[in-house]
Amino acid sequence: CLLFAFRKLDSGDGRLAIALSLIVCGAVSNLVDRWLRHSLVEFFMIRVGAVRLAPFNLADLVMVIGVGLLLVALARQYRPLVT
């Protein structure tokens, strides 16, 4: 699905290509980690007072950044229909 999207990108869609690349790289990294270690290695734990949020790793962070860039790229391409 994403490979098809990469082929359909125009040369001016750099932000979109970077966003999709980050999402794919993060997902592949998590898959390789699960395949080799049979688990994910979590690096970061955020605490707010006594509340601990879910742990995450670098691949998760890369995917979140990719999704953020994807939303920005799609929002910039959005043109409302004039009726």
Side-chain angles (χ1 to χ4, degrees):
C1 182
L2 286 174
L3 293 176
F4 179 74
F6 279 125
R7 279 194 247 160
K8 293 293 182 180
L9 289 177
D10 293 332
S11 60
D13 289 339
R15 288 187 189 112
L16 190 58
I18 290 170
L20 292 174
S21 297
L22 289 174
I23 294 168
V24 170
C25 289
V28 168
S29 176
N30 275 340
L31 285 173
V32 168
D33 210 14
R34 280 211 183 263
W35 184 59
L36 293 177
R37 299 178 194 265
H38 303 290
S39 67
L40 293 177
V41 178
E42 307 299 346
F43 293 110
F44 305 106
M45 172 72 79
I46 296 177
R47 293 182 186 180
V48 180
V51 178
R52 292 190 322 186
L53 301 176
F56 61 98
N57 60 21
L58 193 57
D60 297 337
L61 183 61
V62 167
M63 287 190 290
V64 169
I65 291 170
V67 169
L69 289 175
L70 180 65
L71 291 174
V72 169
L74 293 176
R76 288 182 181 214
Q77 288 181 355
Y78 174 72
R79 291 181 183 86
L81 296 174
V82 178
T83 57

